[in-house]
Amino acid sequence: MIRTIGIIGSGNVAWHLVSGFVNLPSVTVKWITSRNEKTGSDLAEIANVKYSSTIPNDVVDLVLICVNDDAINDVVSSIPPSTKVAYTSGTISIEKLGVKHNNLGVFYPLQTFTKGKDVELKNVPFLIESNNQEFTIELKELAQQLSENVQEMNSEQRKQLHIAAVFSNNFVNHLLYLAQEHLKENNIEQEILNPLIRETVNKAFELNPFQAQSGPAKRNDKTTISSHLNELTGLQKDIYSLITESIIKTYSK
Amino acid sequence: MIRTIGIIGSGNVAWHLVSGFVNLPSVTVKWITSRNEKTGSDLAEIANVKYSSTIPNDVVDLVLICVNDDAINDVVSSIPPSTKVAYTSGTISIEKLGVKHNNLGVFYPLQTFTKGKDVELKNVPFLIESNNQEFTIELKELAQQLSENVQEMNSEQRKQLHIAAVFSNNFVNHLLYLAQEHLKENNIEQEILNPLIRETVNKAFELNPFQAQSGPAKRNDKTTISSHLNELTGLQKDIYSLITESIIKTYSK
Protein backbone atom coordinates (compact mmCIF):
# COMPACT_ATOMS: atom_id res chain seq x y z
CA MET A 1 0.00 0.00 0.00
CA ILE A 2 1.27 3.46 -0.90
CA ARG A 3 1.46 5.60 2.23
CA THR A 4 4.28 8.04 1.47
CA ILE A 5 4.76 10.02 -1.72
CA GLY A 6 7.48 12.26 -3.11
CA ILE A 7 6.39 14.70 -5.81
CA ILE A 8 8.56 15.96 -8.68
CA GLY A 9 7.15 19.03 -10.37
CA SER A 10 5.08 22.01 -9.23
CA GLY A 11 2.85 22.77 -12.22
CA ASN A 12 -0.93 22.55 -12.48
CA VAL A 13 -1.17 18.75 -12.25
CA ALA A 14 1.17 18.56 -9.25
CA TRP A 15 -0.76 21.36 -7.56
CA HIS A 16 -4.13 19.59 -7.89
CA LEU A 17 -2.86 16.12 -6.98
CA VAL A 18 -1.01 17.39 -3.90
CA SER A 19 -4.13 19.32 -2.88
CA GLY A 20 -6.01 16.00 -3.10
CA PHE A 21 -3.37 13.91 -1.29
CA VAL A 22 -3.13 16.24 1.71
CA ASN A 23 -6.79 15.47 2.48
CA LEU A 24 -6.25 11.71 2.56
CA PRO A 25 -5.85 10.30 6.10
CA SER A 26 -3.59 7.40 5.09
CA VAL A 27 -1.29 9.18 2.64
CA THR A 28 1.55 11.61 3.38
CA VAL A 29 3.37 13.78 0.87
CA LYS A 30 6.96 13.61 2.18
CA TRP A 31 8.73 15.99 -0.15
CA ILE A 32 8.32 18.21 -3.19
CA THR A 33 11.09 18.78 -5.71
CA SER A 34 10.89 21.27 -8.55
CA ARG A 35 13.20 23.19 -10.84
CA ASN A 36 11.05 26.23 -10.19
CA GLU A 37 11.79 27.49 -6.68
CA LYS A 38 8.82 29.84 -6.48
CA THR A 39 6.07 27.37 -7.47
CA GLY A 40 7.92 24.52 -5.71
CA SER A 41 7.99 26.46 -2.42
CA ASP A 42 4.32 27.41 -2.75
CA LEU A 43 3.34 23.81 -3.30
CA ALA A 44 5.58 22.57 -0.46
CA GLU A 45 3.68 24.95 1.81
CA ILE A 46 0.37 23.35 0.84
CA ALA A 47 1.82 19.92 1.69
CA ASN A 48 3.47 21.32 4.83
CA VAL A 49 6.93 20.00 3.82
CA LYS A 50 10.26 21.55 2.89
CA TYR A 51 10.91 22.49 -0.71
CA SER A 52 14.02 20.93 -2.23
CA SER A 53 15.63 21.79 -5.55
CA THR A 54 17.12 18.28 -5.85
CA ILE A 55 15.60 14.85 -5.20
CA PRO A 56 15.99 14.07 -1.46
CA ASN A 57 17.27 10.74 -0.14
CA ASP A 58 14.16 10.12 2.04
CA VAL A 59 12.69 6.79 1.02
CA VAL A 60 9.05 7.00 -0.11
CA ASP A 61 6.57 4.35 -1.32
CA LEU A 62 6.04 6.25 -4.56
CA VAL A 63 7.80 8.98 -6.51
CA LEU A 64 5.16 10.73 -8.61
CA ILE A 65 6.54 12.67 -11.58
CA CYS A 66 4.37 15.60 -12.67
CA VAL A 67 6.61 17.27 -15.26
CA ASN A 68 6.29 18.09 -18.98
CA ASP A 69 6.42 15.12 -21.35
CA ASP A 70 9.73 16.40 -22.73
CA ALA A 71 11.42 15.91 -19.35
CA ILE A 72 9.94 12.60 -18.14
CA ASN A 73 12.62 10.29 -19.52
CA ASP A 74 15.45 12.27 -17.91
CA VAL A 75 13.67 12.54 -14.58
CA VAL A 76 12.86 8.82 -14.39
CA SER A 77 16.46 7.99 -15.30
CA SER A 78 17.71 10.06 -12.37
CA ILE A 79 15.76 7.90 -9.87
CA PRO A 80 17.17 4.55 -8.60
CA PRO A 81 15.63 1.61 -10.56
CA SER A 82 14.47 -0.01 -7.32
CA THR A 83 12.20 2.94 -6.48
CA LYS A 84 8.53 2.77 -7.41
CA VAL A 85 7.87 5.56 -9.92
CA ALA A 86 4.78 6.82 -11.74
CA TYR A 87 4.18 9.76 -14.06
CA THR A 88 1.06 11.71 -14.97
CA SER A 89 1.37 12.03 -18.75
CA GLY A 90 -1.39 11.14 -21.17
CA THR A 91 0.95 10.53 -24.07
CA ILE A 92 4.25 8.98 -22.94
CA SER A 93 4.29 5.19 -23.36
CA ILE A 94 5.84 3.05 -20.61
CA GLU A 95 7.48 0.75 -23.13
CA LYS A 96 9.16 3.56 -24.99
CA LEU A 97 10.90 4.97 -21.91
CA GLY A 98 14.50 3.79 -21.98
CA VAL A 99 14.68 2.88 -18.28
CA LYS A 100 15.09 -0.31 -16.21
CA HIS A 101 12.63 0.32 -13.39
CA ASN A 102 10.77 -2.74 -12.09
CA ASN A 103 7.85 -0.64 -10.88
CA LEU A 104 7.12 2.00 -13.47
CA GLY A 105 3.58 3.25 -13.79
CA VAL A 106 1.19 5.85 -15.12
CA PHE A 107 -1.16 7.86 -12.93
CA TYR A 108 -3.06 10.00 -15.46
CA PRO A 109 -5.93 12.25 -14.36
CA LEU A 110 -8.07 13.15 -17.38
CA GLN A 111 -8.89 16.73 -16.57
CA THR A 112 -7.85 20.32 -17.30
CA PHE A 113 -6.09 21.80 -14.31
CA THR A 114 -5.22 25.39 -13.55
CA LYS A 115 -3.83 26.46 -10.18
CA GLY A 116 -6.40 28.25 -8.08
CA LYS A 117 -9.37 26.80 -9.98
CA ASP A 118 -10.77 24.03 -7.79
CA VAL A 119 -11.71 20.73 -9.41
CA GLU A 120 -13.72 17.94 -7.78
CA LEU A 121 -11.19 15.11 -8.13
CA LYS A 122 -13.82 12.53 -7.26
CA ASN A 123 -15.41 12.93 -10.72
CA VAL A 124 -12.11 12.89 -12.60
CA PRO A 125 -11.28 9.68 -14.53
CA PHE A 126 -7.87 8.35 -13.45
CA LEU A 127 -6.18 6.08 -16.02
CA ILE A 128 -3.73 3.65 -14.49
CA GLU A 129 -1.06 1.42 -16.02
CA SER A 130 2.22 -0.12 -14.90
CA ASN A 131 4.79 -2.76 -15.85
CA ASN A 132 3.99 -4.83 -12.74
CA GLN A 133 0.54 -6.13 -11.78
CA GLU A 134 1.01 -5.61 -8.03
CA PHE A 135 2.12 -2.04 -8.57
CA THR A 136 -0.90 -1.46 -10.83
CA ILE A 137 -3.16 -2.52 -7.96
CA GLU A 138 -1.35 -0.17 -5.58
CA LEU A 139 -1.70 2.74 -8.01
CA LYS A 140 -5.38 1.98 -8.48
CA GLU A 141 -5.93 1.87 -4.72
CA LEU A 142 -4.23 5.23 -4.40
CA ALA A 143 -6.33 6.75 -7.20
CA GLN A 144 -9.53 5.31 -5.71
CA GLN A 145 -8.95 7.37 -2.59
CA LEU A 146 -9.17 10.49 -4.78
CA SER A 147 -11.73 9.50 -7.41
CA GLU A 148 -14.76 7.31 -8.01
CA ASN A 149 -13.70 6.74 -11.63
CA VAL A 150 -10.47 4.73 -11.79
CA GLN A 151 -9.68 2.52 -14.79
CA GLU A 152 -6.76 0.58 -16.16
CA MET A 153 -5.80 1.70 -19.66
CA ASN A 154 -2.80 0.75 -21.79
CA SER A 155 -0.36 3.30 -23.24
CA GLU A 156 -1.78 3.13 -26.77
CA GLN A 157 -5.37 3.80 -25.72
CA ARG A 158 -4.27 6.45 -23.25
CA LYS A 159 -2.48 8.32 -26.05
CA GLN A 160 -5.60 8.22 -28.23
CA LEU A 161 -7.71 9.39 -25.29
CA HIS A 162 -5.31 12.27 -24.75
CA ILE A 163 -5.75 13.33 -28.38
CA ALA A 164 -9.54 13.34 -27.95
CA ALA A 165 -9.06 15.38 -24.77
CA VAL A 166 -6.97 17.94 -26.65
CA PHE A 167 -9.79 18.40 -29.19
CA SER A 168 -12.56 18.56 -26.63
CA ASN A 169 -10.83 20.72 -24.07
CA ASN A 170 -7.72 22.57 -25.33
CA PHE A 171 -9.12 23.31 -28.78
CA VAL A 172 -12.67 24.01 -27.61
CA ASN A 173 -11.31 26.47 -25.06
CA HIS A 174 -9.23 28.19 -27.74
CA LEU A 175 -12.30 28.62 -29.96
CA LEU A 176 -14.09 30.21 -27.01
CA TYR A 177 -11.08 32.52 -26.67
CA LEU A 178 -11.22 33.48 -30.37
CA ALA A 179 -14.97 34.12 -30.09
CA GLN A 180 -14.47 36.38 -27.07
CA GLU A 181 -11.67 38.28 -28.80
CA HIS A 182 -13.89 38.78 -31.83
CA LEU A 183 -16.63 40.27 -29.64
CA LYS A 184 -14.12 42.51 -27.87
CA GLU A 185 -12.80 43.85 -31.18
CA ASN A 186 -16.38 44.68 -32.15
CA ASN A 187 -17.40 46.26 -28.83
CA ILE A 188 -20.00 43.62 -28.02
CA GLU A 189 -20.43 42.50 -24.40
CA GLN A 190 -18.95 39.02 -23.98
CA GLU A 191 -21.64 37.63 -21.65
CA ILE A 192 -24.12 37.61 -24.52
CA LEU A 193 -22.65 34.29 -25.71
CA ASN A 194 -22.98 32.51 -22.36
CA PRO A 195 -26.45 30.95 -22.86
CA LEU A 196 -25.32 29.67 -26.27
CA ILE A 197 -22.13 28.13 -24.88
CA ARG A 198 -24.01 26.43 -22.03
CA GLU A 199 -26.58 25.05 -24.47
CA THR A 200 -23.81 23.82 -26.79
CA VAL A 201 -22.58 21.40 -24.14
CA ASN A 202 -26.02 20.45 -22.79
CA LYS A 203 -27.18 19.66 -26.30
CA ALA A 204 -24.10 17.68 -27.25
CA PHE A 205 -24.75 15.49 -24.19
CA GLU A 206 -28.54 15.22 -24.55
CA LEU A 207 -28.48 14.49 -28.27
CA ASN A 208 -24.96 13.78 -29.50
CA PRO A 209 -22.56 16.09 -31.36
CA PHE A 210 -23.54 14.67 -34.77
CA GLN A 211 -27.24 15.41 -34.23
CA ALA A 212 -26.57 18.63 -32.32
CA GLN A 213 -24.76 20.38 -35.17
CA SER A 214 -26.40 23.54 -36.50
CA GLY A 215 -25.25 26.63 -38.38
CA PRO A 216 -24.21 27.77 -41.86
CA ALA A 217 -21.65 25.00 -42.49
CA LYS A 218 -24.16 22.29 -41.57
CA ARG A 219 -26.68 23.86 -43.99
CA ASN A 220 -23.88 24.49 -46.53
CA ASP A 221 -25.19 28.07 -46.62
CA LYS A 222 -22.60 29.58 -48.97
CA THR A 223 -23.89 33.17 -48.72
CA THR A 224 -23.34 33.27 -44.97
CA ILE A 225 -20.05 31.38 -45.06
CA SER A 226 -18.52 33.75 -47.59
CA SER A 227 -19.91 36.80 -45.79
CA HIS A 228 -18.21 35.59 -42.59
CA LEU A 229 -14.91 34.81 -44.33
CA ASN A 230 -14.87 38.38 -45.69
CA GLU A 231 -14.81 39.67 -42.11
CA LEU A 232 -11.93 37.48 -40.93
CA THR A 233 -8.17 37.51 -41.49
CA GLY A 234 -5.10 35.41 -40.62
CA LEU A 235 -5.38 32.28 -38.51
CA GLN A 236 -9.01 33.02 -37.57
CA LYS A 237 -9.94 32.94 -41.25
CA ASP A 238 -7.95 29.72 -41.81
CA ILE A 239 -9.64 28.08 -38.80
CA TYR A 240 -13.07 29.19 -40.03
CA SER A 241 -12.39 27.72 -43.51
CA LEU A 242 -10.96 24.45 -42.29
CA ILE A 243 -13.61 23.58 -39.69
CA THR A 244 -16.34 24.65 -42.13
CA GLU A 245 -14.85 22.27 -44.71
CA SER A 246 -14.78 19.49 -42.12
CA ILE A 247 -18.44 20.07 -41.13
CA ILE A 248 -19.58 20.15 -44.79
CA LYS A 249 -17.69 16.92 -45.41
CA THR A 250 -19.24 15.28 -42.33
CA TYR A 251 -22.79 15.99 -43.50
CA SER A 252 -22.27 15.21 -47.18
CA LYS A 253 -21.27 11.60 -46.43
CA MET B 1 -48.80 45.79 -30.88
CA ILE B 2 -48.22 42.56 -32.74
CA ARG B 3 -51.07 40.14 -32.09
CA THR B 4 -51.17 38.00 -35.23
CA ILE B 5 -48.21 36.38 -36.97
CA GLY B 6 -47.70 34.48 -40.21
CA ILE B 7 -44.63 32.25 -40.33
CA ILE B 8 -42.61 31.44 -43.45
CA GLY B 9 -40.34 28.44 -43.00
CA SER B 10 -40.49 25.24 -40.98
CA GLY B 11 -36.88 24.60 -39.97
CA ASN B 12 -35.34 24.57 -36.51
CA VAL B 13 -35.73 28.31 -35.82
CA ALA B 14 -39.37 28.37 -36.99
CA TRP B 15 -40.09 25.29 -34.89
CA HIS B 16 -38.74 26.83 -31.67
CA LEU B 17 -40.27 30.27 -32.21
CA VAL B 18 -43.71 28.85 -33.03
CA SER B 19 -43.45 26.61 -29.96
CA GLY B 20 -42.84 29.78 -27.95
CA PHE B 21 -45.56 31.88 -29.60
CA VAL B 22 -48.32 29.30 -29.03
CA ASN B 23 -47.83 29.70 -25.28
CA LEU B 24 -48.33 33.48 -25.38
CA PRO B 25 -51.86 34.57 -24.43
CA SER B 26 -51.90 37.71 -26.57
CA VAL B 27 -50.27 36.35 -29.74
CA THR B 28 -51.78 34.07 -32.40
CA VAL B 29 -49.91 32.29 -35.17
CA LYS B 30 -52.40 32.60 -38.07
CA TRP B 31 -50.66 30.58 -40.75
CA ILE B 32 -47.52 28.66 -41.62
CA THR B 33 -46.07 28.53 -45.11
CA SER B 34 -43.18 26.34 -46.14
CA ARG B 35 -41.73 24.80 -49.28
CA ASN B 36 -41.36 21.56 -47.33
CA GLU B 37 -44.83 20.02 -46.99
CA LYS B 38 -43.83 17.45 -44.37
CA THR B 39 -42.13 19.80 -41.89
CA GLY B 40 -44.61 22.60 -42.73
CA SER B 41 -47.59 20.36 -41.88
CA ASP B 42 -45.94 19.17 -38.65
CA LEU B 43 -45.34 22.74 -37.57
CA ALA B 44 -48.85 23.85 -38.57
CA GLU B 45 -50.17 21.13 -36.29
CA ILE B 46 -48.22 22.58 -33.35
CA ALA B 47 -49.74 25.99 -34.07
CA ASN B 48 -53.18 24.44 -34.70
CA VAL B 49 -53.49 26.09 -38.14
CA LYS B 50 -53.64 24.88 -41.73
CA TYR B 51 -50.43 24.34 -43.64
CA SER B 52 -50.20 26.27 -46.91
CA SER B 53 -47.58 25.86 -49.60
CA THR B 54 -48.05 29.47 -50.76
CA ILE B 55 -48.34 32.68 -48.76
CA PRO B 56 -52.04 33.13 -47.79
CA ASN B 57 -53.94 36.39 -48.19
CA ASP B 58 -54.95 36.58 -44.50
CA VAL B 59 -53.72 39.89 -43.13
CA VAL B 60 -51.40 39.54 -40.12
CA ASP B 61 -49.61 42.10 -37.95
CA LEU B 62 -46.25 40.48 -38.74
CA VAL B 63 -44.85 38.10 -41.31
CA LEU B 64 -41.86 36.37 -39.73
CA ILE B 65 -39.43 34.83 -42.21
CA CYS B 66 -37.45 31.88 -40.83
CA VAL B 67 -35.67 30.64 -43.96
CA ASN B 68 -32.04 30.18 -45.01
CA ASP B 69 -30.06 33.36 -45.63
CA ASP B 70 -29.81 32.46 -49.31
CA ALA B 71 -33.60 32.74 -49.71
CA ILE B 72 -34.44 35.78 -47.58
CA ASN B 73 -34.24 38.41 -50.33
CA ASP B 74 -36.58 36.50 -52.65
CA VAL B 75 -39.06 35.77 -49.88
CA VAL B 76 -39.21 39.38 -48.67
CA SER B 77 -39.66 40.55 -52.28
CA SER B 78 -42.69 38.31 -52.64
CA ILE B 79 -44.51 40.06 -49.78
CA PRO B 80 -46.38 43.38 -50.33
CA PRO B 81 -44.22 46.35 -49.23
CA SER B 82 -46.98 47.58 -46.91
CA THR B 83 -46.80 44.40 -44.80
CA LYS B 84 -44.66 44.38 -41.66
CA VAL B 85 -41.92 41.84 -42.19
CA ALA B 86 -39.06 40.53 -40.02
CA TYR B 87 -36.49 37.79 -40.54
CA THR B 88 -34.43 35.73 -38.10
CA SER B 89 -30.97 35.81 -39.70
CA GLY B 90 -27.80 36.72 -37.83
CA THR B 91 -25.94 37.79 -40.93
CA ILE B 92 -28.22 39.45 -43.49
CA SER B 93 -28.12 43.26 -43.30
CA ILE B 94 -31.37 45.22 -43.60
CA GLU B 95 -29.72 47.88 -45.76
CA LYS B 96 -28.38 45.39 -48.25
CA LEU B 97 -31.75 43.81 -48.98
CA GLY B 98 -33.01 45.27 -52.26
CA VAL B 99 -36.58 45.80 -51.08
CA LYS B 100 -38.88 48.78 -50.45
CA HIS B 101 -40.66 47.71 -47.26
CA ASN B 102 -41.42 50.48 -44.77
CA ASN B 103 -41.42 48.08 -41.85
CA LEU B 104 -38.57 45.66 -42.31
CA GLY B 105 -36.96 44.18 -39.22
CA VAL B 106 -34.72 41.56 -37.69
CA PHE B 107 -35.84 39.18 -34.94
CA TYR B 108 -32.68 37.18 -34.25
CA PRO B 109 -32.57 34.63 -31.42
CA LEU B 110 -28.93 33.89 -30.52
CA GLN B 111 -29.16 30.18 -29.83
CA THR B 112 -28.60 26.77 -31.41
CA PHE B 113 -31.92 25.15 -32.21
CA THR B 114 -32.68 21.55 -33.14
CA LYS B 115 -36.23 20.25 -33.42
CA GLY B 116 -37.21 18.09 -30.50
CA LYS B 117 -34.50 19.51 -28.20
CA ASP B 118 -36.28 21.95 -25.87
CA VAL B 119 -34.66 25.32 -25.18
CA GLU B 120 -35.69 27.78 -22.47
CA LEU B 121 -36.41 30.80 -24.68
CA LYS B 122 -36.50 33.09 -21.65
CA ASN B 123 -32.69 32.93 -21.38
CA VAL B 124 -32.05 33.39 -25.11
CA PRO B 125 -30.75 36.81 -26.20
CA PHE B 126 -33.02 38.28 -28.91
CA LEU B 127 -31.33 40.89 -31.10
CA ILE B 128 -33.77 43.33 -32.67
CA GLU B 129 -33.40 45.89 -35.43
CA SER B 130 -35.68 47.55 -37.97
CA ASN B 131 -35.85 50.43 -40.43
CA ASN B 132 -38.61 52.13 -38.44
CA GLN B 133 -38.42 53.09 -34.77
CA GLU B 134 -42.08 52.23 -34.00
CA PHE B 135 -41.70 48.82 -35.58
CA THR B 136 -38.51 48.24 -33.57
CA ILE B 137 -40.50 48.86 -30.38
CA GLU B 138 -43.19 46.41 -31.52
CA LEU B 139 -40.61 43.73 -32.29
CA LYS B 140 -38.94 44.29 -28.91
CA GLU B 141 -42.29 43.99 -27.13
CA LEU B 142 -42.95 40.74 -28.96
CA ALA B 143 -39.50 39.34 -28.09
CA GLN B 144 -39.90 40.40 -24.44
CA GLN B 145 -42.88 38.10 -24.15
CA LEU B 146 -40.55 35.20 -25.00
CA SER B 147 -37.27 36.25 -23.38
CA GLU B 148 -35.82 38.27 -20.51
CA ASN B 149 -32.83 39.26 -22.66
CA VAL B 150 -33.92 41.52 -25.54
CA GLN B 151 -31.52 44.05 -27.06
CA GLU B 152 -31.37 46.34 -30.08
CA MET B 153 -28.35 45.64 -32.26
CA ASN B 154 -27.45 47.00 -35.69
CA SER B 155 -26.74 44.78 -38.71
CA GLU B 156 -22.96 45.19 -38.56
CA GLN B 157 -22.68 44.19 -34.90
CA ARG B 158 -25.19 41.38 -35.37
CA LYS B 159 -23.06 39.92 -38.16
CA GLN B 160 -19.93 40.02 -35.96
CA LEU B 161 -21.88 38.42 -33.12
CA HIS B 162 -23.02 35.67 -35.47
CA ILE B 163 -19.39 34.95 -36.39
CA ALA B 164 -18.50 34.63 -32.69
CA ALA B 165 -21.52 32.33 -32.27
CA VAL B 166 -20.28 30.12 -35.12
CA PHE B 167 -16.90 29.72 -33.37
CA SER B 168 -18.34 29.11 -29.92
CA ASN B 169 -21.21 26.82 -30.92
CA ASN B 170 -20.95 25.34 -34.42
CA PHE B 171 -17.19 24.85 -34.35
CA VAL B 172 -17.02 23.78 -30.69
CA ASN B 173 -19.71 21.19 -31.35
CA HIS B 174 -17.78 19.88 -34.36
CA LEU B 175 -14.62 19.47 -32.27
CA LEU B 176 -16.67 17.47 -29.76
CA TYR B 177 -17.84 15.36 -32.69
CA LEU B 178 -14.27 14.77 -33.90
CA ALA B 179 -13.20 13.84 -30.36
CA GLN B 180 -16.06 11.33 -30.03
CA GLU B 181 -15.25 9.81 -33.43
CA HIS B 182 -11.62 9.46 -32.40
CA LEU B 183 -12.64 7.57 -29.25
CA LYS B 184 -15.00 5.34 -31.24
CA GLU B 185 -12.23 4.42 -33.69
CA ASN B 186 -10.04 3.44 -30.76
CA ASN B 187 -12.70 1.49 -28.84
CA ILE B 188 -12.76 3.83 -25.88
CA GLU B 189 -16.09 4.56 -24.16
CA GLN B 190 -17.24 8.07 -25.05
CA GLU B 191 -18.60 9.04 -21.61
CA ILE B 192 -15.05 9.18 -20.25
CA LEU B 193 -14.69 12.69 -21.71
CA ASN B 194 -17.85 14.10 -20.10
CA PRO B 195 -16.31 15.46 -16.87
CA LEU B 196 -13.58 17.14 -18.94
CA ILE B 197 -16.07 18.76 -21.32
CA ARG B 198 -18.23 20.03 -18.43
CA GLU B 199 -15.16 21.47 -16.70
CA THR B 200 -14.01 23.12 -19.95
CA VAL B 201 -17.08 25.34 -19.98
CA ASN B 202 -17.24 25.91 -16.22
CA LYS B 203 -13.61 26.96 -16.22
CA ALA B 204 -13.93 29.24 -19.24
CA PHE B 205 -16.72 31.07 -17.38
CA GLU B 206 -15.10 31.10 -13.92
CA LEU B 207 -11.68 32.19 -15.14
CA ASN B 208 -11.77 33.27 -18.79
CA PRO B 209 -10.69 31.34 -21.88
CA PHE B 210 -7.26 33.03 -21.97
CA GLN B 211 -6.46 31.98 -18.39
CA ALA B 212 -8.24 28.63 -18.69
CA GLN B 213 -6.06 27.30 -21.51
CA SER B 214 -4.03 24.17 -20.73
CA GLY B 215 -2.46 21.38 -22.75
CA PRO B 216 0.54 20.68 -24.99
CA ALA B 217 0.05 23.67 -27.33
CA LYS B 218 -0.15 26.10 -24.40
CA ARG B 219 3.11 24.61 -23.00
CA ASN B 220 4.57 24.42 -26.54
CA ASP B 221 5.36 20.77 -25.68
CA LYS B 222 6.78 19.70 -29.05
CA THR B 223 7.22 16.01 -28.12
CA THR B 224 3.52 15.58 -27.40
CA ILE B 225 2.37 17.69 -30.33
CA SER B 226 4.38 15.69 -32.85
CA SER B 227 3.39 12.39 -31.23
CA HIS B 228 -0.28 13.41 -31.64
CA LEU B 229 0.18 14.56 -35.23
CA ASN B 230 1.68 11.15 -36.07
CA GLU B 231 -1.61 9.52 -35.06
CA LEU B 232 -3.85 11.79 -37.15
CA THR B 233 -4.61 12.07 -40.86
CA GLY B 234 -6.61 14.28 -43.24
CA LEU B 235 -8.71 17.17 -41.97
CA GLN B 236 -8.32 16.08 -38.33
CA LYS B 237 -4.55 16.47 -38.67
CA ASP B 238 -4.93 19.85 -40.40
CA ILE B 239 -7.29 21.07 -37.67
CA TYR B 240 -4.88 19.85 -34.96
CA SER B 241 -1.95 21.70 -36.62
CA LEU B 242 -3.81 24.92 -37.23
CA ILE B 243 -5.41 25.34 -33.80
CA THR B 244 -2.11 24.34 -32.14
CA GLU B 245 -0.37 27.06 -34.18
CA SER B 246 -3.02 29.58 -33.10
CA ILE B 247 -2.65 28.63 -29.40
CA ILE B 248 1.15 28.84 -29.56
CA LYS B 249 0.88 32.26 -31.21
CA THR B 250 -1.60 33.46 -28.57
CA TYR B 251 0.76 32.62 -25.69
CA SER B 252 3.98 33.81 -27.34
CA LYS B 253 2.68 37.39 -27.69
Side-chain angles (χ1 to χ4, degrees):
Chain A
M1 196 166 165
I2 295 164
R3 294 182 181 279
T4 56
I5 304 178
I7 301 281
I8 302 179
S10 58
N12 293 319
V13 173
W15 200 89
H16 279 86
L17 290 181
V18 167
S19 302
F21 289 139
V22 296
N23 290 321
L24 299 182
S26 61
V27 171
T28 308
V29 175
K30 284 278 192 186
W31 47 259
I32 285 166
T33 301
S34 168
R35 280 188 306 191
N36 185 319
E37 187 176 340
K38 171 75 181 74
T39 58
S41 305
D42 288 349
L43 189 57
E45 203 168 299
I46 290 173
N48 201 22
V49 294
K50 261 199 160 169
Y51 159 75
S52 157
S53 64
T54 54
I55 300 174
N57 287 325
D58 308 24
V59 173
V60 286
D61 297 335
L62 173 70
V63 173
L64 188 58
I65 301 174
C66 313
V67 303
N68 270 9
D69 288 4
D70 292 348
I72 288 175
N73 205 79
D74 286 351
V75 173
V76 177
S77 303
S78 72
I79 296 166
S82 59
T83 304
K84 290 179 180 171
V85 178
Y87 57 87
T88 56
S89 162
T91 296
I92 300 290
S93 153
I94 289 186
E95 286 174 17
K96 287 186 183 157
L97 285 180
V99 297
K100 297 275 177 222
H101 293 64
N102 299 323
N103 292 282
L104 178 62
V106 175
F107 194 84
Y108 172 52
L110 178 67
Q111 190 48 284
T112 169
F113 293 117
T114 298
K115 284 177 200 180
K117 165 70 181 79
D118 284 340
V119 169
E120 282 260 43
L121 287 179
K122 83 171 162 57
N123 300 320
V124 173
F126 276 73
L127 292 315
I128 305 297
E129 185 191 6
S130 92
N131 60 357
N132 174 330
Q133 191 53 37
E134 268 180 54
F135 186 43
T136 301
I137 292 168
E138 286 188 310
L139 289 173
K140 282 171 75 176
E141 284 171 350
L142 179 65
Q144 279 158 354
Q145 294 175 66
L146 297 172
S147 167
E148 292 168 3
N149 188 351
V150 177
Q151 304 178 34
E152 272 187 66
M153 187 175 279
N154 65 36
S155 289
E156 174 57 25
Q157 281 200 312
R158 192 176 68 254
K159 185 204 275 192
Q160 303 302 343
L161 175 59
H162 190 208
I163 291 173
V166 166
F167 275 86
S168 54
N169 167 265
N170 304 166
F171 292 175
V172 161
N173 182 72
H174 188 62
L175 292 183
L176 297 180
Y177 168 75
L178 294 178
Q180 297 285 23
E181 288 299 295
H182 192 74
L183 292 184
K184 213 188 283 180
E185 282 162 20
N186 290 283
N187 300 313
I188 301 169
E189 52 128 358
Q190 300 181 19
E191 291 68 29
I192 199 169
L193 282 179
N194 291 3
L196 178 65
I197 295 168
R198 292 230 176 262
E199 174 66 8
T200 302
V201 171
N202 290 339
K203 195 177 169 185
F205 284 143
E206 194 173 318
L207 307 175
N208 62 54
F210 184 84
Q211 294 178 308
Q213 189 68 52
S214 63
K218 162 80 181 291
R219 298 190 300 271
N220 201 355
D221 178 345
K222 293 192 173 65
T223 306
T224 304
I225 293 167
S226 79
S227 154
H228 286 176
L229 285 171
N230 279 338
E231 302 293 325
L232 296 166
T233 57
L235 285 171
Q236 280 90 323
K237 185 173 195 156
D238 296 341
I239 290 171
Y240 190 105
S241 289
L242 191 60
I243 302 184
T244 293
E245 184 187 346
S246 183
I247 294 172
I248 291 173
K249 195 179 158 201
T250 299
Y251 290 91
S252 64
K253 276 173 194 166
Chain B
M1 196 166 165
I2 296 164
R3 294 182 180 278
T4 56
I5 303 178
I7 301 280
I8 301 179
S10 58
N12 292 320
V13 173
W15 199 90
H16 279 86
L17 290 181
V18 167
S19 302
F21 289 141
V22 296
N23 290 321
L24 299 182
S26 61
V27 171
T28 307
V29 175
K30 285 278 192 183
W31 47 259
I32 285 166
T33 300
S34 167
R35 280 188 306 190
N36 186 319
E37 187 176 340
K38 171 75 181 79
T39 57
S41 304
D42 288 350
L43 190 57
E45 203 167 300
I46 290 173
N48 201 20
V49 295
K50 262 199 158 167
Y51 160 74
S52 159
S53 63
T54 55
I55 300 173
N57 287 325
D58 308 25
V59 174
V60 285
D61 296 336
L62 173 70
V63 173
L64 188 57
I65 300 174
C66 313
V67 303
N68 270 9
D69 288 5
D70 292 348
I72 289 175
N73 206 77
D74 286 351
V75 174
V76 177
S77 303
S78 73
I79 295 166
S82 58
T83 302
K84 290 179 180 172
V85 178
Y87 57 87
T88 56
S89 162
T91 298
I92 301 289
S93 152
I94 289 186
E95 285 175 16
K96 286 185 183 158
L97 284 179
V99 296
K100 297 275 177 227
H101 292 66
N102 298 324
N103 292 283
L104 177 61
V106 174
F107 193 84
Y108 173 51
L110 177 67
Q111 189 50 282
T112 169
F113 294 115
T114 297
K115 283 177 200 179
K117 166 70 182 80
D118 284 341
V119 169
E120 282 261 43
L121 287 178
K122 82 172 161 54
N123 301 320
V124 173
F126 277 73
L127 292 313
I128 304 298
E129 183 191 8
S130 93
N131 62 356
N132 173 328
Q133 192 52 35
E134 269 180 53
F135 186 42
T136 301
I137 292 168
E138 286 187 312
L139 290 173
K140 283 171 75 175
E141 284 172 349
L142 179 64
Q144 278 157 354
Q145 294 175 66
L146 297 173
S147 168
E148 292 168 1
N149 187 351
V150 176
Q151 304 178 33
E152 272 188 66
M153 186 175 279
N154 65 36
S155 289
E156 174 56 25
Q157 280 200 313
R158 192 177 66 255
K159 184 204 278 192
Q160 303 302 342
L161 174 60
H162 190 209
I163 292 173
V166 166
F167 275 85
S168 54
N169 168 268
N170 304 167
F171 292 175
V172 162
N173 182 72
H174 188 62
L175 293 183
L176 297 180
Y177 168 75
L178 294 178
Q180 297 285 22
E181 287 298 296
H182 191 75
L183 292 184
K184 214 188 282 179
E185 283 162 22
N186 289 284
N187 300 312
I188 301 169
E189 52 129 357
Q190 299 180 20
E191 292 68 29
I192 200 169
L193 282 179
N194 291 2
L196 178 66
I197 296 168
R198 291 228 177 266
E199 174 67 8
T200 301
V201 172
N202 289 340
K203 195 176 169 184
F205 285 143
E206 194 174 315
L207 306 174
N208 62 54
F210 183 84
Q211 294 178 307
Q213 190 68 51
S214 63
K218 162 79 182 291
R219 299 190 299 269
N220 202 354
D221 177 345
K222 293 192 173 67
T223 306
T224 304
I225 292 167
S226 80
S227 155
H228 287 175
L229 286 171
N230 279 337
E231 301 293 326
L232 297 167
T233 57
L235 284 171
Q236 281 88 324
K237 185 173 194 157
D238 296 341
I239 289 171
Y240 190 106
S241 289
L242 191 59
I243 301 184
T244 293
E245 183 187 345
S246 183
I247 295 172
I248 291 172
K249 195 177 158 202
T250 300
Y251 290 90
S252 63
K253 273 173 196 167

